[in-house]
Amino acid sequence: MPTFNAADIIGKTLVAKTQVPLLRLPNDDAPTVYTVSPGQSLGVVQSYLLPGTNRSNLYWQFKDQNNNFYYSEHKQGRYDIQELSDQGALTLQQQQAAATEASLSTGDKVFRLIKNALLIGAGVYLVNTIIKKKL
């Protein structure tokens, strides 16, 4: 399961993958005020609250049309990860790969390109040799 940094989700729209209860208060005992069906948008994430008093999990914070906050408890599998990716959210693994790529010098990038070209060339040569022997 891809892992995202919660701060990177702010400003993104969460879409339900399963039924998701919405709450007026960010705590485990708050009553459900609405349930979002799979495929529906929960709204644009305004912020998040980490686990703490009366919160066993992270809670996503949203704002309704009257500027009142509402919340959704984060549970794995509730949200459509592909929708987040489509909005430009990067997983921690993707962020690490991008940082690693950005830290390479031009010489490192050229060397990697040459190495890959040589490997492809060797592969083509071997396949060609095998085909010639079979004919």
Side-chain angles (χ1 to χ4, degrees):
M1 176 66 62
T3 303
F4 294 88
N5 181 329
D8 294 336
I9 305 305
I10 294 173
K12 307 281 190 280
T13 300
L14 286 182
V15 175
K17 191 172 182 181
T18 65
Q19 290 204 341
V20 179
L22 298 180
L23 318 165
R24 279 290 174 199
L25 298 172
N27 64 57
D28 296 344
D29 299 329
T32 299
V33 294
Y34 183 76
T35 301
V36 179
S37 297
Q40 288 184 319
S41 167
L42 279 77
V44 176
V45 175
Q46 301 295 309
S47 187
Y48 62 91
L49 294 100
L50 295 172
T53 305
N54 296 323
R55 284 191 304 275
S56 55
N57 291 308
L58 179 141
Y59 277 76
W60 298 111
Q61 181 185 61
F62 307 89
K63 198 181 278 189
D64 68 15
Q65 66 273 16
N66 297 318
N67 287 326
N68 295 316
F69 292 117
Y70 63 96
Y71 304 88
S72 170
E73 181 180 11
H74 180 81
K75 289 192 177 175
Q76 189 171 342
R78 270 191 177 170
Y79 310 102
D80 190 332
I81 300 302
Q82 186 58 52
E83 288 286 339
L84 286 174
S85 294
D86 291 348
Q87 295 174 66
L90 298 176
T91 65
L92 295 177
Q93 185 178 13
Q94 290 168 326
Q95 289 177 12
Q96 179 61 38
T100 300
E101 180 69 22
S103 71
L104 291 176
S105 69
T106 303
D108 290 336
K109 292 176 184 177
V110 169
F111 177 75
R112 186 178 59 196
L113 180 64
I114 291 170
K115 181 181 78 170
N116 288 342
L118 288 174
L119 288 173
I120 291 169
V124 169
Y125 176 78
L126 287 173
V127 169
N128 188 28
T129 303
I130 291 170
I131 291 173
K132 283 183 180 179
K133 284 185 179 182
K134 290 194 176 198
L135 293 177

